Structure formats: structure tokens, C-alpha cells
Amino acid sequence: AKKHGPVKILDDINSALPERAWLVELKERSDNLEVQGIALDNQTVSLFMKNLEKYPYFKTIELVVSNEYLQDKVKLQQFQLNVVLKSALEVQNFQMAPG
């Protein structure tokens, strides 16, 4: 089960990522993920966070940094999220819950 967890988590992050956003770096620290990326605007960052909430592996999603910057005369939004992962037991209970 532990071997499939990281693959499923990465797949869920990829599925949650909107078209107008790109990931730059993922760092795992214990039960936390640091997600750094670039999006075209704040609404896209917000959509990514809301999409992540739909998946069973993610307990909390916190926006740590969001900065606007210019690249080749295009405004972009650089962001960093802190994502707390659920334990295997929490994920199992989530998947077994009716509804």
C-alpha cells in the first residue's frame, strides 16, 4: 500500500492542476508537501487549491506565498502551497464513508 501512495498523490496533484498553471517544485517533509508553481492569475491558484480539496490524500491546503511578477511582458503569479497529507487510516476512512 505504501508503494502506491506516492504515485496516487502525484497523480491527484496532476489531475487537480488547472491548464493555466505549472508546477516548479515539490518537496516532501514528513506528512507535508511544499508545492511551488506558476499560474496566470490568482483565480487559477485558487482553483488549484479547491481542486486539491476534492482528493482524499490532502488534509489541509494553505497558501504560503503568492507574488505577481513579469516575464517577457506577461504578468504571472508565483505561488507556494503547504499541503498536509492525511494518514493511511484517514484516507481509508474517507474512501469508506457513504455518499
Side-chain angles (χ1 to χ4, degrees):
K2 286 186 179 183
K3 290 181 181 179
H4 295 296
V7 172
K8 184 65 178 142
I9 290 169
L10 289 174
D11 185 50
D12 289 350
I13 290 172
N14 184 54
S15 296
L17 192 65
E19 274 187 35
R20 301 179 331 156
W22 304 267
L23 296 184
V24 176
E25 186 172 14
L26 286 171
K27 292 181 185 175
E28 181 185 11
R29 292 191 177 105
S30 183
D31 62 346
N32 290 317
L33 282 179
E34 181 182 296
V35 180
Q36 294 183 24
I38 298 169
L40 289 185
D41 52 35
N42 278 326
Q43 291 82 3
T44 305
V45 176
S46 178
L47 177 60
F48 179 42
M49 294 174 68
K50 287 180 189 206
N51 288 346
L52 286 172
E53 290 174 354
K54 298 175 187 176
Y55 292 93
Y57 285 96
F58 310 119
K59 190 173 196 171
T60 60
I61 298 104
E62 175 187 18
L63 180 63
V64 178
V65 175
S66 181
N67 294 315
E68 185 178 276
Y69 73 100
L70 278 175
Q71 182 167 338
D72 299 328
K73 299 181 183 180
V74 176
K75 286 184 184 180
L76 297 172
Q77 201 69 30
Q78 183 177 20
F79 64 91
Q80 178 181 333
L81 305 177
N82 183 42
V83 180
V84 178
L85 300 174
K86 290 183 181 178
S87 70
L89 183 59
E90 288 175 300
V91 171
Q92 183 180 9
N93 288 339
F94 176 87
Q95 291 173 343
M96 294 177 66

